[in-house]
Amino acid sequence: MTKDLIVQHGLTEEEYQKIVTLLGRELNLTELGMFSVMWSEHCSYKSSRTFLKKLPTDAPHVIQGPGENAGVVDIGDGLAAVFKMESHNHPSFIEPYQGAATGVGGILRDIFTMGARPIALLDSLRFGPLDSPKNRYLFSGVVAGIAGYGNCIGVPTVGGEVYFNEIYNYNPLVNVFCLGIARKDRIFRGWASGAGNPVLYIGAKTGRDGIHGATMASDSFDEGSESMRPTVQVGDPFTEKLLLEACLELMEQDLLVGIQDMGAAGLTSSSCEMASRAGTGIELELANVPRREPSMTPYEVLLSESQERMLLVAKSGREGEVLDICKKWDVDAAVIGRVTNDGFLRVKEKGVVVAEVPARALTDNAPTYERPADAPAYQDALQTLPLELVPEPKDCNAVLEALLTSPTIAHKGWVFEQYDHMVQTNTVIRPGSDAAVLRIKGTDKALAVTADCNSLYCVLNPYTGAASAVAEAARNLVCAGARPLALTDCLNFGNPERPDIMWQFILAVEGIADACKALQIPVVSGNVSFYNETRGLSIYPTPIIGMVGLLDHVEQAVSQGFKAEGDAILLLGETGEDLGGTEYLRAVHHREQGTPPVLNLEREAALQRVVLQAVEQGLVRSAHDCAEGGLAVALAESSLSATNGPLGAEVVLDRHGLRRDSLLFGESQSRIILSVKPANREKIEVLARQDGVPCSVLGFVRGQRLMISIRDDRGGTALWIDRTCDKLDTMWRGALRAALDTGEGGHA
């Protein structure tokens, strides 16, 4: 095997020699391809595995933690929630529509392969500013791809998030989350157990699309990256719908021992992972694999990442029933092998062995690295923010308008209106609130879902930023009235071979771990996406948190919009001098620096307890997390999200020695705005006092203007924000569409 060929397959000389030692011989080309994909960063987690062990994964309600296709938690009534988040970043940059569409298809298969019917999708997206034609093309294509796949298969996309920053110009992020519901006693896993049991291929025919997709996802980009279009798979949601129904019927008929999606690394990964988990082997006959292209080599068949395919292990003697059900659903199916007890993945083509390797050599024996990690030289300068260089705004109305029209904060209707978020008729709280809420049919319960991460916080302080992402996701669920159950993460970083990137990654994992422990939220699944780097420029660390929460009674669901004139507006939590890393500092002053807002996890936990108690007692009319843009933006969003059209507010804020911009636009953590009937105000104040949570009355829902005054420390009051709700609503709702139409979507 030549050095050039080894390098072309993404392996180092040391890794190749380790493989030779494991096998006791040289590899052939087919085997080299198999190790190339399975030992890639994308499949092996060789740079992250050591650190991911720090994450808490156990809790009494956890049925399945990391290591399977998706995480599973008990939600009562004999049911389980099944969920996971995955990235499709590189493919979406190369071909945005198909890259995003196949990302949706892949995450759906991860869910229904566990025995769950998918009920909801979320997407978490990052792009460069919309003043670039390339970014407008990528953004529009990705949204269309998500809509095209999800709408066609009939699974609602109910929420998500979109951020825009120059750092994502050459590396947009497309992370997709899926939630499904399964019977607690009928969870399926990717196990190939029982020597002699038949192995079946079902789904779309195999082509040459996606070959070496896993390897491509484990490498940095350069000038020629767009020439990789042939490695991006093409999705077919109509085939996936048939595959979904066939799989669920096979599971209902109790015909299967194990099942695995053919995702990254295709037939190679699904077969060796199923065998290695069970401690068995698999023998495959490639001549039986359904194909749509002639003259495919064993190398191509094994590494193809054609979409909408599953590998099954059926119970002995029941393969005929499997084939009959697949025929009923018009799904291609074939018996392509059997389970063995010798631990080998043995691959034949017309009876001739073309590859023979221990299954665990491809999986468990992949290398594990603890790469050098060190803070970058620029970190101290990045965290320094001389406030004397940041002038306080004289026109706070103009600042509020600039923030509401910043594409990161602007209303995302242009995105989610392309999604069918009401299909399946489970959606109780639709996109646009802190979290979406879906009823669980046949019960009184509901599930809330959200996805969150402020990557600017994470580049300024990876530990605090990642912990804050966990806290904000949980806060969003609590604002919807849900008790957080568990999370899945999608950890997007640059090149792990760089010490500064590994330093970011390690700190971010520690931040997630500590926040999860403090808030008692286990991590049940996830994904790591490294090498989000082009020409040496890495993205900001972006550890996306997808989280699921439970409402015992669906009628208790709460949204962020004000509900009625005369309601009192309360703030739970404290505002501090927190301008570092804010959207205000970025959009208005063009600065991305400072220390992100301090997160006190004990205060966060207390805040969430109080809000949940208030919701459960029926005291809360609306609840909204204070996040990007601070208190002024949160108040505006609550006003503009009112159910029957905008409702104004009259608010007075006490200065408490703070800068005016910190008070209005700072992003202090652990704050939630509530609106309540005046008669319930004192009850909430009592709950807050019992848990030591600061609670202040800001004002009242009133009229058609948003009016925010500041009372100084001597008792004088001045009106700093005064705008009609109609004007703010028009700006907020129209900003994203306007940026796409005119190309004005950079800094405000």
Side-chain angles (χ1 to χ4, degrees):
M1 198 67 65
T2 68
K3 288 185 178 180
D4 284 348
L5 198 57
I6 294 169
V7 171
Q8 287 170 20
H9 280 74
L11 294 168
T12 66
E13 179 64 29
E14 292 77 14
E15 287 171 342
Y16 180 77
Q17 290 305 321
K18 179 177 179 179
I19 297 167
V20 170
T21 300
L22 283 169
L23 300 187
R25 60 174 173 80
E26 291 288 327
L27 290 72
N28 63 38
L29 182 61
T30 299
E31 292 166 338
L32 179 65
M34 295 165 69
F35 275 98
S36 169
V37 291
M38 292 309 300
W39 282 24
S40 69
E41 191 71 59
H42 188 78
C43 291
S44 72
Y45 287 57
K46 56 190 174 186
S47 299
S48 60
R49 196 185 312 167
T50 297
F51 306 103
L52 296 176
K53 293 175 183 177
K54 298 178 181 179
L55 299 173
T57 59
D58 295 324
H61 59 284
V62 173
I63 296 172
Q64 176 65 58
E68 265 291 342
N69 290 291
V72 185
V73 295
D74 189 347
I75 56 174
D77 295 304
L79 298 175
V82 181
F83 56 97
K84 190 182 182 185
M85 180 175 276
E86 283 272 7
S87 62
H88 234 225
N89 303 335
H90 282 21
S92 299
F93 177 68
I94 296 167
E95 213 303 304
Y97 185 96
Q98 290 297 345
T102 53
V104 173
I107 197 66
L108 285 164
R109 291 192 298 279
D110 281 340
I111 300 309
F112 69 79
T113 194
M114 300 292 294
R117 179 172 292 278
I119 66 166
L121 293 160
L122 299 176
D123 51 79
S124 179
L125 311 175
R126 300 289 186 279
F127 297 93
L130 294 173
D131 51 8
S132 158
K134 174 72 170 180
N135 291 333
R136 295 198 297 276
Y137 160 74
L138 290 171
F139 179 44
S140 299
V142 163
V143 171
I146 292 168
Y149 208 100
N151 292 355
C152 288
I153 200 171
V155 178
T157 302
V158 296
E161 52 159 20
V162 190
Y163 283 70
F164 299 89
N165 190 291
E166 289 87 346
I167 204 68
Y168 301 105
N169 272 332
Y170 299 103
N171 283 98
L173 302 183
V174 177
N175 292 183
V176 187
F177 165 103
C178 187
L179 167 71
I181 300 293
R183 281 173 45 184
K184 176 183 171 182
D185 62 352
R186 197 175 286 275
I187 303 299
F188 287 80
R189 293 173 172 85
W191 285 65
S193 55
N197 280 335
V199 176
L200 292 94
Y201 170 120
I202 75 169
K205 290 181 171 67
T206 294
R208 290 186 170 90
D209 47 331
I211 292 173
H212 273 296
T215 309
M216 181 263 290
S218 306
D219 199 3
S220 299
F221 274 179
D222 57 29
E223 298 285 0
S225 296
E226 292 184 64
S227 65
M228 295 179 180
R229 275 194 173 84
T231 68
V232 177
Q233 312 96 312
V234 176
D236 180 356
F238 301 105
T239 297
E240 179 118 334
K241 173 62 174 173
L242 297 173
L243 181 64
L244 183 159
E245 298 299 343
C247 286
L248 293 181
E249 184 170 343
L250 292 170
M251 294 165 175
E252 185 63 32
Q253 297 298 322
D254 200 22
L255 301 177
L256 305 182
V257 172
I259 178 170
Q260 176 86 6
D261 165 39
M262 289 191 222
L267 186 54
T268 296
S269 64
S270 54
S271 55
C272 70
E273 287 173 0
M274 291 181 79
S276 63
R277 287 189 192 118
T280 60
I282 285 182
E283 185 174 287
L284 298 176
E285 174 49 75
L286 297 186
N288 295 340
V289 171
R291 308 181 194 190
R292 56 179 163 81
E293 296 187 45
S295 306
M296 290 185 70
T297 65
Y299 181 103
E300 291 173 324
V301 174
L302 284 167
L303 270 61
S304 168
E305 294 184 9
S306 294
Q307 294 291 287
E308 293 89 35
R309 303 180 302 158
M310 290 280 188
L311 194 67
L312 318 177
V313 174
K315 293 184 176 179
S316 182
R318 310 208 54 187
E319 55 267 42
E321 295 171 72
V322 173
L323 295 172
D324 287 343
I325 288 174
C326 290
K327 184 177 180 180
K328 166 189 166 182
W329 287 103
D330 197 23
V331 171
D332 280 308
V335 178
I336 66 166
R338 63 185 179 89
V339 178
T340 65
N341 58 10
D342 62 5
F344 277 81
L345 175 57
R346 185 174 297 105
V347 184
K348 297 180 178 180
E349 172 81 351
K350 296 181 180 178
V352 177
V353 175
V354 295
E356 187 173 40
V357 297
R360 284 184 169 163
L362 291 162
T363 56
D364 299 357
N365 295 140
T368 298
Y369 296 125
E370 292 193 37
R371 299 189 185 275
D374 197 13
Y378 58 76
Q379 196 67 32
D380 287 344
L382 197 61
Q383 292 182 340
T384 301
L385 177 62
L387 282 178
E388 63 271 15
L389 299 181
V390 181
E392 288 196 69
K394 295 178 181 177
D395 186 347
C396 292
N397 285 310
V399 173
L400 177 61
E401 291 169 358
L403 289 172
L404 290 176
T405 55
S406 164
T408 291
I409 289 178
H411 188 257
K412 302 304 187 297
W414 182 88
V415 178
F416 63 70
E417 285 164 11
Q418 297 184 51
Y419 305 149
D420 186 345
H421 47 264
M422 294 304 293
V423 67
Q424 298 189 19
T425 66
N426 294 318
T427 312
V428 177
I429 294 183
R430 305 180 185 187
S433 199
D434 284 319
V437 176
L438 301 110
R439 67 171 53 85
I440 307 170
K441 289 193 175 94
T443 77
D444 292 331
K445 296 177 178 178
L447 292 173
V449 290
T450 190
D452 265 292
C453 176
N454 186 317
S455 48
L456 186 50
Y457 290 177
C458 293
V459 75
L460 298 176
N461 186 316
Y463 176 91
T464 299
S468 296
V470 174
E472 185 177 348
R475 209 179 306 137
N476 286 342
L477 297 181
V478 166
C479 284
R483 183 178 74 257
L485 287 178
L487 69 80
T488 181
D489 54 40
C490 200
L491 309 179
N492 305 271
F493 288 79
N495 183 345
E497 297 165 47
R498 287 174 42 181
D500 57 325
I501 301 301
M502 277 311 298
W503 175 81
Q504 291 174 341
F505 180 80
I506 293 167
L507 283 182
V509 170
E510 290 175 354
I512 293 170
D514 287 349
C516 286
K517 291 170 186 173
L519 300 176
Q520 299 182 353
I521 301 171
V523 179
V524 295
S525 59
N527 171 240
V528 177
S529 175
F530 277 132
Y531 294 99
N532 293 288
E533 173 181 290
T534 297
R535 299 196 298 273
L537 179 65
S538 289
I539 62 163
Y540 289 164
T542 310
I544 306 292
I545 303 297
M547 196 177 291
V548 175
L550 179 67
L551 293 88
D552 290 325
H553 303 285
V554 65
E555 64 273 12
Q556 290 183 336
V558 178
S559 62
Q560 71 182 29
F562 291 147
K563 299 300 184 292
E565 287 256 358
D567 281 351
I569 302 170
L570 279 60
L571 173 65
L572 293 179
E574 280 186 306
T575 301
E577 203 82 86
D578 288 308
L579 289 179
T582 59
E583 182 66 8
Y584 158 71
L585 203 66
R586 190 199 71 82
V588 176
H589 295 284
H590 312 301
R591 289 178 176 270
E592 296 186 352
Q593 62 189 116
T595 301
V598 174
L599 174 66
N600 182 310
L601 288 166
E602 289 184 7
R603 291 180 189 171
E604 182 70 43
L607 170 77
Q608 294 184 22
R609 282 195 302 269
V610 169
V611 174
L612 279 176
Q613 288 172 353
V615 170
E616 289 166 0
Q617 293 178 27
L619 305 178
V620 177
R621 304 264 273 189
S622 75
H624 188 24
D625 165 42
C626 290
E628 287 81 12
L631 195 52
V633 166
L635 287 165
E637 290 172 338
S638 293
S639 288
L640 305 179
S641 301
T643 307
N644 297 313
L647 283 173
E650 294 180 12
V651 167
V652 178
L653 307 177
D654 286 314
R655 187 150 190 172
H656 294 310
L658 296 175
R659 287 171 53 115
R660 190 164 54 248
D661 46 4
S662 292
L663 188 58
L664 292 169
F665 310 115
E667 296 174 8
S668 299
Q669 292 287 292
S670 309
R671 295 183 301 166
I672 291 175
I673 293 172
L674 305 180
S675 68
V676 304
K677 292 180 179 179
N680 290 329
R681 191 188 95 190
E682 289 187 10
K683 296 176 183 176
I684 289 180
E685 289 174 331
V686 169
L687 289 175
R689 194 159 48 246
Q690 289 172 345
D691 231 324
V693 174
C695 177
S696 53
V697 179
L698 302 185
F700 296 90
V701 178
R702 184 173 294 146
Q704 287 296 308
R705 303 183 74 87
L706 177 62
M707 304 170 68
I708 304 178
S709 300
I710 296 177
R711 183 186 296 117
D712 65 31
D713 298 334
R714 291 172 295 183
T717 301
L719 183 63
W720 282 98
I721 289 177
D722 182 10
R723 281 291 183 265
T724 66
C725 291
D726 284 346
K727 178 178 181 180
L728 294 178
D729 192 59
T730 299
M731 298 174 73
W732 180 56
R733 292 183 188 276
L736 197 55
R737 187 182 303 274
L740 285 162
D741 290 343
T742 65
E744 296 176 0
H747 287 309

